[in-house]
Amino acid sequence: MSWRTLFKFELRAIFTNPSILFTVFGGVLIYSFLYPMPYANQLPREQAIVVVNQDKTPLSRELERMVDATPQVTIAVRAESLAEVRQRINAGQAEGLLVIPPNFYRDLLLGKSPTLVYAGDAAYFLVYGTVVEGLASAGGTLAAKAKVSRMVMSGENLTLAAQQFTPIKLNAQPVFNPGMGYVNYVVPAVFVLILHQTLLIAVALLGGGQNEYRLAGKTGYWLQYPAWQVVVVRGICFSLIYLPLVMYYFGFSFSYYHISRLANIRDLLAVTLPFLLAVIFLGMILGQLIPRRELATVVVLLSSLPLVFSAGFIWPPEAIPAPITALAQLIPSTPAINAFLRLNQMGADFHQVVGWWTQLWLQVAVYGGIAAAMMLSVKRQRKQQVRAAGSTQHKSENSH
């Protein structure tokens, strides 16, 4: 019962299992192209809107042209009433609306502030934000033009009026997501979660299948070796399988989608190793708990959305209830996502993620110990069952 023989058994069990192979290689490769596909254009552009111009003056038509010139929206239809707008939006012909009120031009000449009405389809927050941004930008530009014109008419210099029409100048410079795109925002974190979930399913499938095999009264190589030895070998095997997949995600996939990569290989490897081991040992625990291997996929997939929203990169951590945040810290994906994002996307130094790195190693120790203890308990139960069966057979022979 050498280490070499155990490695052969483990690798044979992994590479002869179609479910594990499809989950590991098929799942990782398919999701690397499938998930980012809807967001390949980064931001929604040229969203169709309906305009209701109740003023019909040259200035209101100028506002229409300014709205149509923005990259966010395009005027698809000019309607005569709100009832017509409602019909077109319900029919899916437009994503938003702009209503220019009557007396719009007159109120501007009188120095009043007319109210523009605009709205977007809030069922899709990216679409809604784009529509509102485009309409607000055009309205703000026209308002600035009107204010500068009044300042010039009152005797101000044109250059000074253009520079001083507002007391505050906003100069927004995105730091970690220069393109303000969805791909750079969410894909790096979701890729970590994909690696987490596929690895967890694969390990649980192997352990669940062996557990199912054992419950049927059969035995296998994993019951013939010390529990700690099986845990170590399984951890090494799956880590070696997943290291190239991690490099594929953080290498080719990031380059393919033009995602920033600021971390060096040494720091990435330092976080990747405890992350993979923690997931593997957690998967071994899950495999010991489920009576049938197909339950591994169901349990892990049902946990995907809660893990996404509790990890702290989509929903602000301050807005997440404390008990949910505490539970999320027990899952390896949570500290791994936080560490990888800061290293790779934000350019943090390794000492700035040491807390999450330590958390991952604690999970490795705790989950590895639990997995070994559960396997040891299973071996003891198996031995007791064999002894009980032998004792029963011996008594039966004596009675005859």
Side-chain angles (χ1 to χ4, degrees):
M1 297 197 299
S2 64
W3 286 87
R4 183 178 179 180
T5 306
L6 181 55
F7 270 107
K8 288 183 178 179
F9 280 134
E10 280 290 308
L11 292 174
R12 186 182 298 118
I14 294 171
F15 285 97
T16 58
N17 191 318
S19 299
I20 295 177
L21 293 179
F22 181 77
T23 300
V24 172
F25 298 104
V28 171
L29 292 174
I30 291 172
Y31 270 108
S32 68
F33 294 101
L34 182 63
Y35 184 81
M37 190 180 299
Y39 315 107
N41 293 325
Q42 295 277 17
L43 291 173
R45 286 289 186 262
E46 298 293 332
Q47 299 300 302
I49 65 167
V50 183
V51 173
V52 180
N53 191 343
Q54 299 175 340
D55 190 45
K56 300 186 185 301
T57 59
L59 189 64
S60 65
R61 293 189 180 94
E62 181 182 356
L63 176 60
E64 288 187 39
R65 291 193 295 272
M66 293 173 68
V67 167
D68 202 31
T70 62
Q72 290 88 356
V73 297
T74 182
I75 297 177
V77 180
R78 289 174 172 82
E80 296 297 328
S81 65
L82 290 176
E84 183 181 352
V85 172
R86 188 179 298 109
Q87 291 177 358
R88 291 186 179 276
I89 291 180
N90 290 338
Q93 299 176 359
E95 306 294 342
L97 65 92
L98 168 65
V99 178
I100 304 175
N103 304 320
F104 174 74
Y105 181 49
R106 185 199 68 181
D107 290 345
L108 278 178
L109 289 179
L110 294 175
K112 298 181 180 179
S113 298
T115 302
L116 294 173
V117 178
Y118 48 82
D121 185 359
Y124 303 96
F125 71 93
L126 287 175
V127 172
Y128 173 78
T130 300
V131 171
V132 172
E133 180 188 1
L135 295 176
S137 175
T141 303
L142 184 64
K145 178 181 177 182
K147 189 169 183 179
V148 170
S149 299
R150 286 198 299 270
M151 293 173 69
V152 172
M153 292 174 63
S154 64
E156 291 282 350
N157 179 273
L158 177 60
T159 304
L160 292 176
Q163 295 175 352
Q164 300 175 0
F165 72 92
T166 177
I168 299 175
K169 289 287 186 179
L170 178 62
N171 184 17
Q173 294 290 337
V175 180
F176 303 122
N177 187 4
M180 296 296 289
Y182 194 79
V183 169
N184 288 278
Y185 160 59
V186 74
V187 167
V190 172
F191 273 0
V192 177
L193 186 64
I194 291 172
L195 292 169
H196 178 279
Q197 298 296 78
T198 54
L199 178 55
L200 194 63
I201 291 174
V203 179
L205 280 173
L206 179 60
Q210 293 175 348
N211 197 33
E212 183 179 359
Y213 197 77
R214 177 186 62 82
L215 292 175
K218 302 176 183 178
T219 187
Y221 70 90
W222 62 92
L223 295 174
Q224 301 171 6
Y225 284 83
W228 67 269
Q229 194 172 357
V230 176
V231 170
V232 170
V233 170
R234 191 162 299 179
I236 293 174
C237 289
F238 274 103
S239 295
L240 293 176
I241 291 171
Y242 257 78
L243 276 174
L245 299 177
V246 173
M247 290 188 287
Y248 165 74
Y249 265 13
F250 290 167
F252 169 79
S253 295
F254 276 26
S255 297
Y256 184 80
Y257 295 109
H258 306 290
I259 299 173
S260 60
R261 295 178 299 169
L262 303 177
N264 59 58
I265 296 177
R266 182 186 60 188
D267 291 346
L268 286 179
L269 184 60
V271 178
T272 299
L273 183 58
F275 166 60
L276 294 180
L277 290 175
V279 177
I280 293 167
F281 295 156
L282 182 61
M284 294 182 68
I285 295 173
L286 179 61
Q288 293 294 322
L289 293 175
I290 56 177
R292 301 189 308 275
R293 56 186 170 185
E294 61 269 16
L295 292 176
T297 304
V298 177
V299 172
V300 175
L301 290 182
L302 287 176
S303 69
S304 295
L305 278 180
L307 289 181
V308 167
F309 285 99
S310 61
F313 68 96
I314 287 182
W315 198 258
E318 296 80 10
I320 302 175
I324 295 179
T325 303
L327 287 175
Q329 301 306 314
L330 301 177
I331 308 300
S333 61
T334 301
I337 287 172
N338 284 285
F340 281 125
L341 286 183
R342 281 158 179 79
L343 287 173
N344 224 9
Q345 273 58 60
M346 300 182 183
D349 294 328
F350 187 77
H351 74 269
Q352 294 176 291
V353 300
V354 166
W356 290 294
W357 178 77
T358 304
Q359 183 177 344
L360 286 170
W361 277 116
L362 287 174
Q363 291 178 349
V364 170
V366 172
Y367 294 149
I370 294 175
M374 293 180 70
M375 293 194 71
L376 182 60
S377 176
V378 166
K379 287 186 63 176
R380 289 174 178 172
Q381 291 178 6
R382 180 65 179 174
K383 289 180 179 179
Q384 291 175 357
Q385 291 174 355
V386 171
R387 290 172 183 173
S391 176
T392 303
Q393 183 179 1
H394 180 70
K395 292 179 180 179
S396 177
E397 291 175 354
N398 288 337
S399 63
H400 289 291

